[in-house]
Amino acid sequence: MYALKDKLSERFSSLFSNFTTSGSPKPPAPDPHTQARPKSKGRKSLSSYLSLVIPSIRGSKSTDSHQDTNEVESPSVLFCDANNDFQEEGPDTDLECTIRCKAEEIYSKHDDDPAFGRSTCSSKVFEEAMEQPTPRNPISDLTDISAFISAELYEFLGCCLPNIVKGCKWILLYSTTKHGISLQTLIRNSHNLSGPCLLIVGDTRGAIFGGLLECPLKPTPKRKYQGTNQTFVFTTKYGDPRLFRATGANPYYYICLNDLLAIGGGGSFALRLDDDLLNGSSGPCDTFGSLCLAHDPEFELKNVELWGFAHASRYLT
């Protein structure tokens, strides 16, 4: 009984000793059996305190290191473009803009300096490079004005000519508006050049026709055909120019007399001119397989031209 009583008194005395004079209880004395193992709640509180303290230390260190590197690298900058969208402009963009501005400054500074030269990036050089060359006028190959030859007809006849005269200058040997109305003058002027020559005539209704002959023209005392199978006739009666080459049916290419010049044969002449060069005729011709080249078989001549061909070097001044 006394032992139980002593134990209870010790318990009560220890309980009352835990209270302070203010009335707040003191924390109980730690149990020696559990002192080695702290409570989990206390361990969590300590780790939470450490997690709050350690990041602040690390943040201060990273801030110091960022301040050190800030002297080397420029930070990215956000800017607003024309569409009110924010774009990031980093150090590479700044460097590119600086280089471009410096280059433009150098080009504008030395653009008129012949010692420095002009850059291919210059806007003036770019505009000059984009300029298209002026198209060449094919009529410039004609040494004189023609009453018949247009750019289209010139291109057509240029493709029909023999290879030996392609690319040559066209030399006006005879024209009724320039040399008068005379077959004899036409024959005489044909001796100024040798090689193929092109006879071009027109009627009063607008048709243009003619044929390829050989220069110089040599009149014969009798009707004797001359020429080669390179002889041809053409006409614009059907709209677009139309060519008729030798079919091989006969060798009747052309006749040259003092009072007559005719191309083709077999049935009718493809083209016949009188000595006054005022009238002519045309009909179906077996030599070229052609029909009437003019609007009418018998027609009035509007003009007569004879063109020869020569290399440009002969006429350089």
Side-chain angles (χ1 to χ4, degrees), residues 16-302:
F16 285 106
S17 62
N18 290 333
F19 288 93
T20 60
T21 55
S22 62
S24 58
K26 292 183 178 180
D31 193 351
H33 298 285
T34 60
Q35 187 175 4
R37 295 183 301 171
K39 294 182 179 180
S40 60
K41 184 176 181 181
R43 184 169 60 248
K44 291 181 180 179
S45 299
L46 181 59
S47 62
S48 63
Y49 284 128
L50 293 176
S51 65
L52 292 175
V53 175
I54 291 174
S56 63
I57 298 174
R58 292 179 178 176
S60 62
K61 290 182 179 181
S62 63
T63 304
D64 295 337
S65 62
H66 180 70
Q67 292 177 355
D68 295 338
T69 58
N70 192 28
E71 298 177 357
V72 180
E73 298 180 1
S74 299
S76 299
V77 179
L78 291 177
F79 66 94
C80 185
D81 59 7
N83 297 325
N84 295 327
D85 297 328
F86 284 94
Q87 305 292 336
E88 184 175 356
E89 182 180 8
D92 294 339
T93 308
D94 296 338
L95 179 60
E96 181 181 355
C97 292
T98 303
I99 295 174
R100 184 170 62 251
C101 293
K102 290 293 184 182
E104 292 177 355
E105 181 180 353
I106 293 173
Y107 293 149
S108 61
K109 182 178 180 181
H110 299 280
D111 188 37
D112 298 330
D113 188 359
F116 181 78
R118 299 179 65 184
S119 171
T120 55
C121 296
S122 175
S123 59
K124 295 181 180 179
V125 177
F126 180 78
E127 291 176 359
E128 292 175 0
M130 291 300 294
E131 289 181 357
Q132 297 295 331
T134 304
R136 178 177 173 271
N137 184 11
I139 304 299
S140 62
D141 286 339
L142 275 63
T143 59
D144 211 325
I145 299 175
S146 173
F148 302 119
I149 301 176
S150 62
E152 293 76 15
L153 184 59
Y154 172 84
E155 184 178 357
F156 171 78
L157 294 175
C159 297
C160 303
L161 293 174
N163 293 332
I164 193 173
V165 296
K166 284 185 177 180
C168 292
K169 286 286 185 180
W170 291 39
I171 313 300
L172 182 61
L173 300 177
Y174 173 82
S175 173
T176 53
T177 59
K178 187 175 181 180
H179 302 95
I181 303 174
S182 173
L183 180 59
Q184 294 296 324
T185 304
L186 185 152
I187 295 174
R188 183 171 58 252
N189 289 357
S190 70
H191 288 254
N192 294 335
L193 288 175
S194 61
C197 62
L198 190 62
L199 178 69
I200 303 178
V201 300
D203 61 14
T204 55
R205 295 183 58 183
I208 301 172
F209 45 95
L212 186 71
L213 306 173
E214 291 290 331
C215 279
L217 295 175
K218 298 177 181 180
T220 58
K222 296 182 180 180
R223 291 195 176 187
K224 180 180 180 181
Y225 280 95
Q226 306 178 57
T228 65
N229 59 1
Q230 287 187 339
T231 306
F232 62 76
V233 293
F234 72 93
T235 182
T236 62
K237 171 188 173 181
Y238 306 100
D240 294 332
R242 186 172 178 182
L243 185 75
F244 300 92
R245 293 192 181 274
T247 61
N250 56 59
Y252 305 154
Y253 300 116
Y254 71 88
I255 296 174
C256 181
L257 304 174
N258 289 322
D259 58 352
L260 175 70
L261 180 61
I263 305 176
S268 300
F269 294 120
L271 174 60
R272 181 186 63 85
L273 303 180
D274 295 336
D275 58 347
D276 56 7
L277 298 183
L278 293 176
N279 298 286
S281 64
S282 176
C285 178
D286 296 338
T287 306
F288 305 104
S290 60
L291 300 177
C292 180
L293 303 180
H295 286 288
D296 300 309
E298 301 288 334
F299 54 85
E300 248 183 82
L301 287 169
K302 180 180 179 180

